[in-house]
């Protein structure tokens, strides 16, 4: 390895190494062309969360509709931290929620298409990602220590 070359972690169930990403601006302050105050952004975040939006979709809406490039540079704290401070953080972390949702939809597909061997294999991969992520969240105390993914009760988690 070269000195300046960083090793990147590979994907869990595919071949890619995935080093593409957008670069954040060097300045950490809010841009001077942004005329929205911190309180207004916080209010918008709280309103969107009450409507049932997840933190990532709140960030996309703020960027696309209100021209807020980075919430952290304007408010000083990230969207999820603002939601936690207002008691509106989602019960399940967002990435885990979407994996459970995907597993539920694949399982529903497999009920009608029993011969779909590839679908069954993909479900195993999705569920192994769920178990790995749940183990991380239990270790970092973001999920209760007794939380366990069960396919029979998964549909109630995402409904």
């Amino acid at each position: 390895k070269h000195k300046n070359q960083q090793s990147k972690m590979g994907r869990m169930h595919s071949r890619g190494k995935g080093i593409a990403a957008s670069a954040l601006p060097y300045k950490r302050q809010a841009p001077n062309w942004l005329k929205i105050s911190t309180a207004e952004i916080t209010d918008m975040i709280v309103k969107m969360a009450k409507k049932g939006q997840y933190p990532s979709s709140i960030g996309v809406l703020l960027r696309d509709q209100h021209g807020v490039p980075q919430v952290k540079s304007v408010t000083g704290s990230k969207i999820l931290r603002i939601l936690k401070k207002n008691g509106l953080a989602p019960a399940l972390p967002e990435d885990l929620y979407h994996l459970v949702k995907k597993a539920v939809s694949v399982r529903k597909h497999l009920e009608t298409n029993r011969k779909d061997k590839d679908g069954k294999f993909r479900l195993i991969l999705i569920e192994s990602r769920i178990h790995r992520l749940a183990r991380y969240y239990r270790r970092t105390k973001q999920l209760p220590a007794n939380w366990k993914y069960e396919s029979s009760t998964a549909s109630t988690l995402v409904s």
Side-chain angles (χ1 to χ4, degrees), residues 59-84:
V60 169
L61 287 170
L62 286 173
R63 184 195 66 202
D64 295 345
Q65 293 176 3
H66 302 284
V68 179
Q70 287 289 316
V71 171
K72 188 175 188 281
S73 67
V74 181
T75 61
S77 56
K78 296 179 179 181
I79 295 174
L80 190 60
R81 291 207 177 134
I82 292 170
L83 293 179
K84 280 181 182 172

Side-chain angles (χ1 to χ4, degrees), residues 134 137-139 141-148:
Y137 283 132
R138 281 194 303 267
R139 191 174 67 237
K141 306 280 191 280
Q142 295 179 39
L143 279 177
N146 61 354
W147 191 91
K148 193 169 168 47

Side-chain angles (χ1 to χ4, degrees), residues 6-129:
Q6 253 186 331
S7 62
K8 291 285 181 176
M9 189 189 301
R11 295 280 148 259
M12 194 169 159
H13 297 307
S14 62
R15 288 182 176 82
K17 292 264 193 305
I19 59 167
S22 59
L24 290 176
Y26 179 70
K27 281 186 175 179
R28 291 206 175 101
Q29 303 98 337
N32 52 10
W33 48 260
L34 189 67
K35 301 298 179 212
I36 305 174
S37 70
T38 303
E40 288 175 313
I41 291 176
T42 306
D43 289 342
M44 282 191 266
I45 290 171
V46 169
K47 279 179 192 166
M48 288 180 202
K50 283 181 180 172
K51 286 181 185 171
Q53 298 282 354
Y54 267 83
S56 64
S57 55
I58 291 173
V60 169
L61 287 170
L62 286 173
R63 184 195 66 202
D64 295 345
Q65 293 176 3
H66 302 284
V68 179
Q70 287 289 316
V71 171
K72 188 175 188 281
S73 67
V74 181
T75 61
S77 56
K78 296 179 179 181
I79 295 174
L80 190 60
R81 291 207 177 134
I82 292 170
L83 293 179
K84 280 181 182 172
K85 196 163 61 174
N86 289 295
L88 293 168
L92 271 183
E94 189 176 3
D95 48 358
L96 185 62
Y97 171 82
H98 287 296
L99 276 175
V100 171
K101 193 174 177 182
K102 185 186 276 190
V104 167
S105 68
V106 171
R107 198 170 281 282
K108 186 180 174 192
H109 163 80
L110 284 174
E111 284 174 13
T112 54
N113 304 286
R114 291 197 180 281
K115 287 194 170 184
D116 186 1
K117 301 292 183 196
D118 187 57
K120 188 176 182 183
F121 175 70
R122 297 292 160 203
L123 177 66
I124 292 168
L125 296 184
I126 292 166
E127 288 185 340
S128 69
R129 279 197 297 262

